[in-house]
Protein backbone atom coordinates (compact mmCIF):
# COMPACT_ATOMS: atom_id res chain seq x y z
CA UNK A 1 0.00 0.00 0.00
CA UNK A 2 1.21 3.46 -0.87
CA UNK A 3 0.21 6.56 1.05
CA UNK A 4 0.62 9.56 -1.22
CA UNK A 5 1.15 12.85 0.59
CA UNK A 6 -0.19 16.18 -0.63
CA UNK A 7 2.25 18.50 -2.37
CA UNK A 8 3.84 20.53 0.41
CA UNK A 9 2.95 18.11 3.21
CA UNK A 10 5.04 18.94 6.26
CA UNK A 11 7.70 16.73 7.74
CA UNK A 12 5.57 16.34 10.86
CA UNK A 13 2.63 15.10 8.76
CA UNK A 14 4.84 12.56 7.01
CA UNK A 15 6.29 11.48 10.34
CA UNK A 16 2.78 10.96 11.71
CA UNK A 17 1.91 8.64 8.80
CA UNK A 18 5.10 6.65 9.45
CA UNK A 19 4.23 6.39 13.15
CA UNK A 20 0.69 5.15 12.48
CA UNK A 21 1.97 2.53 10.02
CA UNK A 22 4.42 1.26 12.63
CA UNK A 23 1.70 1.30 15.31
CA UNK A 24 -0.35 -0.94 13.01
CA UNK A 25 2.59 -3.36 13.00
CA UNK A 26 3.93 -2.73 9.50
CA UNK A 27 7.15 -1.31 8.10
CA UNK A 28 7.09 2.20 6.65
CA UNK A 29 9.41 3.43 3.95
CA UNK A 30 9.60 7.10 3.04
CA UNK A 31 9.80 7.74 -0.66
CA UNK A 32 10.61 11.33 -1.49
CA UNK A 33 9.86 11.88 -5.19
CA UNK A 34 10.27 14.72 -7.63
CA UNK A 35 6.51 15.31 -7.81
CA UNK A 36 5.24 13.99 -4.50
CA UNK A 37 6.32 12.34 -1.32
CA UNK A 38 4.85 8.96 -0.59
CA UNK A 39 5.12 6.55 2.30
CA UNK A 40 5.11 2.88 1.48
CA UNK A 41 3.55 0.34 3.79
CA UNK A 42 5.39 -2.93 3.58
CA UNK A 43 4.21 -6.27 4.91
CA UNK A 44 0.67 -5.63 3.72
CA UNK A 45 -1.34 -8.80 4.24
CA UNK A 46 -4.46 -7.29 2.70
CA UNK A 47 -6.19 -6.53 5.99
CA UNK A 48 -4.84 -3.06 6.66
CA UNK A 49 -7.44 -0.57 7.79
CA UNK A 50 -6.75 2.23 5.32
CA UNK A 51 -9.34 4.58 6.82
CA UNK A 52 -7.05 5.45 9.70
CA UNK A 53 -4.32 6.51 7.34
CA UNK A 54 -6.65 8.23 4.90
CA UNK A 55 -7.91 10.58 7.60
CA UNK A 56 -4.45 11.81 8.62
CA UNK A 57 -3.53 15.40 7.79
CA UNK A 58 -1.44 15.81 4.64
CA UNK A 59 -2.57 12.54 3.06
CA UNK A 60 -3.79 12.90 -0.51
CA UNK A 61 -4.64 9.35 -1.48
CA UNK A 62 -4.07 5.69 -0.78
CA UNK A 63 -2.95 3.43 -3.60
CA UNK A 64 -3.41 -0.30 -3.19
CA UNK A 65 -0.67 -2.18 -5.05
CA UNK A 66 -2.43 -5.00 -6.81
CA UNK A 67 0.64 -7.05 -7.74
CA UNK A 68 2.19 -9.67 -5.44
CA UNK A 69 5.51 -7.82 -5.75
CA UNK A 70 5.19 -4.35 -4.27
CA UNK A 71 8.29 -2.17 -4.17
CA UNK A 72 9.40 -3.48 -7.53
CA UNK A 73 6.17 -2.49 -9.27
CA UNK A 74 5.41 0.57 -11.39
CA UNK A 75 2.38 1.16 -9.18
CA UNK A 76 4.76 1.69 -6.29
CA UNK A 77 7.18 3.91 -8.19
CA UNK A 78 6.31 5.36 -11.55
CA UNK A 79 9.71 6.83 -12.50
CA UNK A 80 12.41 4.53 -13.88
CA UNK A 81 15.06 3.46 -11.41
CA UNK A 82 18.49 4.51 -12.58
CA UNK A 83 21.24 2.40 -11.03
CA UNK A 84 24.27 4.64 -10.60
CA UNK A 85 27.70 3.06 -10.74
CA UNK A 86 31.15 4.56 -10.19
CA UNK A 87 32.57 6.74 -12.95
CA UNK A 88 29.21 8.13 -14.02
CA UNK A 89 27.93 4.86 -15.49
CA UNK A 90 24.15 4.70 -15.14
CA UNK A 91 21.87 1.77 -15.97
CA UNK A 92 18.22 2.56 -16.62
CA UNK A 93 18.59 6.12 -17.93
CA UNK A 94 19.14 7.22 -21.52
CA UNK A 95 22.35 5.25 -21.91
CA UNK A 96 22.48 1.70 -23.15
CA UNK A 97 25.28 0.00 -21.24
CA UNK A 98 27.46 -2.78 -22.64
CA UNK A 99 28.84 -5.39 -20.25
CA UNK A 100 31.25 -7.80 -21.93
CA UNK A 101 33.96 -10.31 -21.23
CA UNK A 102 34.53 -14.02 -20.94
CA UNK A 103 32.20 -16.46 -19.25
CA UNK A 104 34.92 -17.32 -16.71
CA UNK A 105 38.06 -15.67 -15.44
CA UNK A 106 40.68 -18.24 -16.52
CA UNK A 107 44.07 -16.59 -16.08
CA UNK A 108 45.65 -13.17 -15.69
CA UNK A 109 46.65 -13.09 -19.31
CA UNK A 110 43.18 -14.08 -20.55
CA UNK A 111 41.21 -11.60 -18.44
CA UNK A 112 43.56 -8.67 -19.11
CA UNK A 113 43.50 -9.36 -22.83
CA UNK A 114 39.71 -9.65 -22.83
CA UNK A 115 39.35 -6.48 -20.77
CA UNK A 116 41.49 -4.43 -23.18
CA UNK A 117 39.62 -5.81 -26.17
CA UNK A 118 36.10 -5.16 -24.87
CA UNK A 119 37.05 -1.70 -23.64
CA UNK A 120 38.50 -0.86 -27.04
CA UNK A 121 35.20 -1.94 -28.61
CA UNK A 122 33.18 0.25 -26.24
CA UNK A 123 32.12 -1.83 -23.25
CA UNK A 124 32.07 0.01 -19.91
CA UNK A 125 31.73 -3.02 -17.62
CA UNK A 126 33.81 -6.21 -17.64
CA UNK A 127 32.09 -9.50 -16.91
CA UNK A 128 33.75 -12.78 -15.92
CA UNK A 129 32.89 -15.42 -13.37
CA UNK A 130 35.29 -16.26 -10.55
CA UNK A 131 32.77 -18.77 -9.18
CA UNK A 132 30.95 -20.71 -11.87
CA UNK A 133 27.66 -22.56 -11.45
CA UNK A 134 28.35 -25.53 -13.73
CA UNK A 135 25.90 -28.28 -14.59
CA UNK A 136 28.63 -30.89 -14.17
CA UNK A 137 30.79 -31.09 -11.06
CA UNK A 138 33.67 -32.12 -13.33
CA UNK A 139 33.52 -28.94 -15.41
CA UNK A 140 35.74 -25.92 -14.62
CA UNK A 141 34.39 -24.39 -11.41
CA UNK A 142 36.19 -21.04 -11.58
CA UNK A 143 39.28 -19.67 -9.86
CA UNK A 144 37.43 -18.42 -6.78
CA UNK A 145 38.99 -15.58 -4.80
CA UNK A 146 42.16 -15.32 -6.94
CA UNK A 147 39.79 -14.76 -9.88
CA UNK A 148 38.31 -11.78 -8.08
CA UNK A 149 41.78 -10.30 -7.64
CA UNK A 150 42.42 -10.69 -11.36
CA UNK A 151 39.20 -8.81 -12.10
CA UNK A 152 40.33 -6.04 -9.77
CA UNK A 153 43.62 -5.88 -11.66
CA UNK A 154 41.78 -5.66 -14.97
CA UNK A 155 39.72 -2.77 -13.60
CA UNK A 156 42.88 -1.00 -12.49
CA UNK A 157 44.44 -1.38 -15.92
CA UNK A 158 41.44 -0.50 -18.06
CA UNK A 159 39.07 1.56 -15.92
CA UNK A 160 36.27 -0.88 -16.68
CA UNK A 161 33.82 -1.63 -13.89
CA UNK A 162 33.40 -5.23 -12.80
CA UNK A 163 30.38 -7.53 -12.76
CA UNK A 164 30.83 -11.03 -11.34
CA UNK A 165 28.71 -13.76 -9.83
CA UNK A 166 28.19 -14.68 -6.19
CA UNK A 167 26.91 -18.21 -5.74
CA UNK A 168 26.19 -18.30 -2.01
CA UNK A 169 25.76 -15.90 0.91
CA UNK A 170 29.45 -16.26 1.84
CA UNK A 171 30.43 -15.37 -1.73
CA UNK A 172 28.29 -12.22 -1.56
CA UNK A 173 30.71 -10.87 1.06
CA UNK A 174 33.77 -11.57 -1.09
CA UNK A 175 32.22 -10.30 -4.31
CA UNK A 176 30.77 -7.17 -2.70
CA UNK A 177 34.23 -6.20 -1.48
CA UNK A 178 35.68 -6.15 -4.97
CA UNK A 179 33.01 -6.00 -7.68
CA UNK A 180 30.92 -3.05 -8.81
CA UNK A 181 27.94 -5.30 -9.58
CA UNK A 182 27.06 -8.59 -7.89
CA UNK A 183 25.59 -11.04 -10.38
CA UNK A 184 23.02 -13.58 -9.25
CA UNK A 185 22.81 -16.30 -11.85
CA UNK A 186 19.81 -17.98 -13.41
CA UNK A 187 20.27 -21.12 -11.32
CA UNK A 188 20.15 -19.06 -8.14
CA UNK A 189 17.27 -16.72 -8.95
CA UNK A 190 15.17 -18.36 -6.26
CA UNK A 191 17.95 -19.01 -3.78
CA UNK A 192 16.25 -16.96 -1.13
CA UNK A 193 19.06 -16.94 1.42
CA UNK A 194 21.38 -15.69 -1.32
CA UNK A 195 18.87 -12.99 -2.29
CA UNK A 196 18.54 -11.89 1.33
CA UNK A 197 22.32 -11.68 1.71
CA UNK A 198 22.64 -9.65 -1.51
CA UNK A 199 19.78 -7.44 -0.34
CA UNK A 200 21.75 -6.46 2.73
CA UNK A 201 24.90 -5.22 0.99
CA UNK A 202 25.38 -1.82 -0.55
CA UNK A 203 26.31 -2.93 -4.04
CA UNK A 204 24.11 -3.07 -7.14
CA UNK A 205 22.82 -6.52 -8.06
CA UNK A 206 22.34 -7.99 -11.53
CA UNK A 207 19.55 -10.53 -11.14
CA UNK A 208 19.23 -13.01 -13.99
CA UNK A 209 15.95 -14.67 -14.86
CA UNK A 210 15.80 -18.33 -13.89
CA UNK A 211 15.72 -20.69 -16.82
CA UNK A 212 12.20 -21.85 -15.92
CA UNK A 213 11.00 -18.71 -14.20
CA UNK A 214 8.04 -16.59 -15.15
CA UNK A 215 8.44 -12.83 -15.26
CA UNK A 216 6.33 -12.59 -12.12
CA UNK A 217 8.73 -14.94 -10.32
CA UNK A 218 11.67 -12.84 -11.51
CA UNK A 219 10.03 -9.72 -10.10
CA UNK A 220 9.24 -11.48 -6.82
CA UNK A 221 12.89 -12.46 -6.51
CA UNK A 222 13.84 -8.82 -7.10
CA UNK A 223 11.35 -7.91 -4.37
CA UNK A 224 13.50 -9.90 -1.89
CA UNK A 225 16.41 -7.57 -2.66
CA UNK A 226 14.35 -4.40 -2.28
CA UNK A 227 12.63 -5.74 0.83
CA UNK A 228 16.07 -6.12 2.44
CA UNK A 229 16.94 -2.54 1.54
CA UNK A 230 18.91 -2.89 -1.70
CA UNK A 231 17.14 -0.82 -4.35
CA UNK A 232 19.95 -0.94 -6.92
CA UNK A 233 18.72 -3.89 -8.89
CA UNK A 234 19.21 -4.57 -12.60
CA UNK A 235 17.18 -7.39 -14.09
CA UNK A 236 18.42 -9.60 -16.90
CA UNK A 237 16.61 -11.65 -19.52
CA UNK A 238 18.88 -14.60 -20.39
CA UNK A 239 16.55 -17.04 -22.12
CA UNK A 240 14.25 -19.71 -20.80
CA UNK A 241 14.00 -23.44 -21.40
CA UNK A 242 12.07 -24.47 -24.46
CA UNK A 243 11.42 -27.72 -26.28
CA UNK A 244 13.49 -26.90 -29.34
CA UNK A 245 17.12 -27.97 -29.33
CA UNK A 246 17.89 -25.58 -32.20
CA UNK A 247 19.09 -23.05 -29.62
CA UNK A 248 20.38 -23.45 -26.04
CA UNK A 249 17.47 -21.42 -24.64
CA UNK A 250 14.52 -19.44 -25.95
CA UNK A 251 15.55 -15.82 -25.75
CA UNK A 252 12.42 -14.02 -24.55
CA UNK A 253 12.70 -10.63 -26.18
CA UNK A 254 9.19 -9.71 -25.08
CA UNK A 255 10.34 -9.84 -21.47
CA UNK A 256 11.99 -6.45 -22.02
CA UNK A 257 8.87 -4.37 -22.74
CA UNK A 258 6.83 -6.54 -20.34
CA UNK A 259 9.21 -5.82 -17.46
CA UNK A 260 9.40 -2.14 -18.37
CA UNK A 261 5.63 -1.96 -18.09
CA UNK A 262 5.36 -3.85 -14.81
CA UNK A 263 8.43 -2.53 -13.03
CA UNK A 264 10.54 0.61 -12.68
CA UNK A 265 13.74 -1.47 -12.54
CA UNK A 266 16.12 -1.53 -15.51
CA UNK A 267 16.39 -4.69 -17.57
CA UNK A 268 19.31 -5.76 -19.71
CA UNK A 269 19.59 -8.65 -22.17
CA UNK A 270 21.99 -11.58 -22.30
CA UNK A 271 21.86 -12.89 -25.87
CA UNK A 272 24.86 -15.17 -25.19
CA UNK A 273 23.08 -17.53 -22.78
CA UNK A 274 19.80 -16.63 -24.47
CA UNK A 275 20.85 -18.37 -27.68
CA UNK A 276 23.99 -20.36 -26.86
CA UNK A 277 25.22 -19.93 -30.41
CA UNK A 278 27.82 -17.36 -31.45
CA UNK A 279 26.18 -16.44 -34.74
CA UNK A 280 22.79 -15.90 -33.07
CA UNK A 281 24.19 -13.62 -30.37
CA UNK A 282 24.69 -10.70 -32.72
CA UNK A 283 21.16 -10.48 -34.21
CA UNK A 284 19.58 -10.96 -30.77
CA UNK A 285 21.79 -8.28 -29.20
CA UNK A 286 20.70 -5.87 -31.93
CA UNK A 287 17.06 -6.85 -31.37
CA UNK A 288 17.33 -6.40 -27.60
CA UNK A 289 18.61 -2.85 -27.95
CA UNK A 290 15.84 -2.11 -30.46
CA UNK A 291 13.32 -3.53 -27.97
CA UNK A 292 14.46 -1.06 -25.33
CA UNK A 293 16.90 -3.06 -23.24
CA UNK A 294 18.87 -0.84 -20.87
CA UNK A 295 22.00 -2.75 -21.68
CA UNK A 296 23.48 -5.95 -23.05
CA UNK A 297 25.75 -8.49 -21.39
CA UNK A 298 27.77 -10.38 -23.97
CA UNK A 299 30.36 -13.13 -23.65
CA UNK A 300 33.54 -12.24 -25.52
CA UNK A 301 36.74 -14.30 -25.32
CA UNK A 302 40.16 -13.54 -26.82
CA UNK A 303 40.27 -17.16 -28.07
CA UNK A 304 36.77 -18.68 -27.88
CA UNK A 305 38.00 -22.06 -29.13
CA UNK A 306 40.18 -22.33 -26.00
CA UNK A 307 37.55 -21.11 -23.51
CA UNK A 308 37.07 -23.19 -20.36
CA UNK A 309 33.33 -22.44 -20.42
CA UNK A 310 30.77 -21.26 -22.97
CA UNK A 311 33.21 -20.99 -25.87
CA UNK A 312 30.53 -21.83 -28.44
CA UNK A 313 28.55 -18.73 -27.54
CA UNK A 314 31.50 -16.41 -26.98
CA UNK A 315 32.14 -13.76 -29.63
CA UNK A 316 35.53 -13.17 -31.15
CA UNK A 317 36.71 -9.68 -30.17
CA UNK A 318 36.30 -8.43 -33.77
CA UNK A 319 32.70 -9.56 -33.82
CA UNK A 320 32.02 -7.65 -30.63
CA UNK A 321 33.61 -4.52 -32.09
CA UNK A 322 31.29 -4.77 -35.09
CA UNK A 323 28.28 -5.44 -32.85
CA UNK A 324 29.03 -2.31 -30.82
CA UNK A 325 29.13 -0.25 -34.04
CA UNK A 326 25.72 -1.58 -34.94
CA UNK A 327 24.06 -1.10 -31.56
CA UNK A 328 25.24 2.52 -31.45
CA UNK A 329 23.20 3.20 -34.57
CA UNK A 330 20.18 1.25 -33.28
CA UNK A 331 20.24 3.07 -29.93
CA UNK A 332 20.26 6.43 -31.67
CA UNK A 333 17.18 5.56 -33.71
CA UNK A 334 15.18 5.07 -30.51
CA UNK A 335 16.51 8.20 -28.83
CA UNK A 336 19.18 6.56 -26.70
CA UNK A 337 22.93 6.34 -26.86
CA UNK A 338 25.44 3.64 -26.05
CA UNK A 339 27.55 4.59 -23.00
CA UNK A 340 31.12 5.01 -24.20
CA UNK A 341 34.16 4.52 -21.96
CA UNK A 342 35.36 8.02 -22.87
CA UNK A 343 31.97 9.71 -22.44
CA UNK A 344 31.28 8.09 -19.12
CA UNK A 345 31.18 10.74 -16.47
CA UNK A 346 31.10 13.51 -19.07
C1 LIG B 1 27.00 -16.58 -16.88
O1 LIG B 1 26.68 -15.37 -16.91
O2 LIG B 1 28.10 -17.03 -17.29
C2 LIG B 1 25.97 -17.54 -16.42
C3 LIG B 1 26.31 -18.66 -15.80
O3 LIG B 1 24.73 -17.14 -16.75
P1 LIG B 1 23.30 -17.77 -16.33
O4 LIG B 1 23.24 -17.70 -14.84
O5 LIG B 1 22.33 -16.85 -17.00
O6 LIG B 1 23.25 -19.16 -16.87
MN1 LIG C 1 28.54 -18.27 -19.36
Amino acid sequence: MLIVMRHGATDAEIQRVVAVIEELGYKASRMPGAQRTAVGLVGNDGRVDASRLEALPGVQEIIHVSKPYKQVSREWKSENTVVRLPGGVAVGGTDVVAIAGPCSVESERQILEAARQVREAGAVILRGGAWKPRTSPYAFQGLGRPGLQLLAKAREETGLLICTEAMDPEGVGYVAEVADIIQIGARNMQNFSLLKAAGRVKKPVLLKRGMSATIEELLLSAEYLLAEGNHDVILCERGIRGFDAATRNVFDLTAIPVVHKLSHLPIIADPSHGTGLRDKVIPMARAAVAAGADGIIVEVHPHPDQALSDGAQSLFPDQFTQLMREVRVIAEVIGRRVAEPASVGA
Side-chain angles (χ1 to χ4, degrees), residues 218-256:
L218 170 66
L219 295 175
L220 279 164
S221 288
E223 186 79 13
Y224 269 85
L225 298 164
L226 272 74
E228 290 292 337
N230 193 342
H231 294 249
D232 288 330
V233 176
I234 303 162
L235 303 171
C236 179
E237 164 58 37
R238 51 77 74 206
I240 47 176
R241 275 271 159 97
F243 54 80
D244 195 335
T247 54
R248 181 177 178 185
N249 287 299
V250 178
F251 181 55
D252 183 6
L253 201 53
T254 333
I256 294 158

Side-chain angles (χ1 to χ4, degrees), residues 103 127 132-133 165 183 185-187 208 238 270 273 299 310:
C103 178
R127 62 145 294 144
K132 294 304 302 176
E165 179 161 353
Q183 178 173 324
R187 290 158 190 79
K208 299 186 91 176
R238 51 77 74 206
D270 175 349
H273 296 86
E299 287 185 339
D310 287 349

Side-chain angles (χ1 to χ4, degrees), residues 22-281:
E22 286 170 356
E23 245 172 64
L24 290 168
Y26 299 99
K27 263 202 329 212
S29 84
R30 272 169 174 253
M31 298 165 32
Q35 306 296 327
R36 57 176 195 186
T37 290
V39 183
L41 182 153
V42 196
N44 184 355
D45 67 355
R47 283 175 284 140
V48 183
D49 179 10
S51 61
R52 228 186 120 190
L53 291 160
E54 226 155 18
L56 292 174
V59 171
Q60 184 179 311
E61 64 170 326
I62 307 268
I63 297 174
H64 295 272
V65 180
S66 59
K67 299 286 191 294
Y69 43 86
K70 306 292 176 192
Q71 302 187 56
V72 155
S73 74
R74 275 262 180 225
E75 292 168 274
W76 188 271
K77 177 170 178 264
S78 57
E79 311 102 66
N80 290 341
T81 286
V82 179
V83 175
R84 297 194 183 279
L85 298 161
V89 178
V91 186
T94 309
D95 284 5
V96 175
V97 171
I99 307 175
C103 178
S104 305
V105 179
E106 298 169 3
S107 67
E108 176 166 340
R109 190 177 161 165
Q110 173 249 17
I111 197 66
L112 292 181
E113 195 177 355
R116 285 185 206 112
Q117 287 164 335
V118 300
R119 188 190 191 280
E120 188 65 29
V124 288
I125 304 172
L126 175 67
R127 62 145 294 144
W131 284 274
K132 294 304 302 176
R134 304 304 301 279
T135 304
S136 163
Y138 306 117
F140 177 60
Q141 302 286 308
L143 299 178
R145 292 182 76 181
L148 271 184
Q149 293 316 313
L150 295 180
L151 286 166
K153 186 158 190 190
R155 174 176 50 203
E156 227 169 83
E157 290 219 355
T158 60
L160 290 170
L161 302 179
I162 286 167
C163 171
T164 194
E165 179 161 353
M167 279 184 22
D168 45 46
E170 190 192 5
V172 167
Y174 297 135
V175 170
E177 258 176 46
V178 176
D180 300 289
I181 301 177
I182 304 166
Q183 178 173 324
I184 294 186
R187 290 158 190 79
N188 269 322
M189 188 203 83
Q190 286 188 316
N191 179 339
F192 301 114
S193 40
L194 177 62
L195 293 172
K196 285 179 186 172
R200 287 194 284 264
V201 295
K202 305 233 164 325
K203 275 284 163 82
V205 174
L206 175 66
L207 178 64
K208 299 186 91 176
R209 180 179 181 182
M211 59 183 79
S212 300
T214 63
I215 291 173
E216 184 166 292
E217 286 163 344
L218 170 66
L219 295 175
L220 279 164
S221 288
E223 186 79 13
Y224 269 85
L225 298 164
L226 272 74
E228 290 292 337
N230 193 342
H231 294 249
D232 288 330
V233 176
I234 303 162
L235 303 171
C236 179
E237 164 58 37
R238 51 77 74 206
I240 47 176
R241 275 271 159 97
F243 54 80
D244 195 335
T247 54
R248 181 177 178 185
N249 287 299
V250 178
F251 181 55
D252 183 6
L253 201 53
T254 333
I256 294 158
V258 169
V259 165
H260 275 153
K261 173 118 194 210
L262 296 173
S263 175
H264 51 84
L265 295 175
I267 178 162
I268 67 165
D270 175 349
S272 305
H273 296 86
T275 64
L277 301 164
R278 185 177 303 133
D279 64 328
K280 309 297 182 291
V281 172

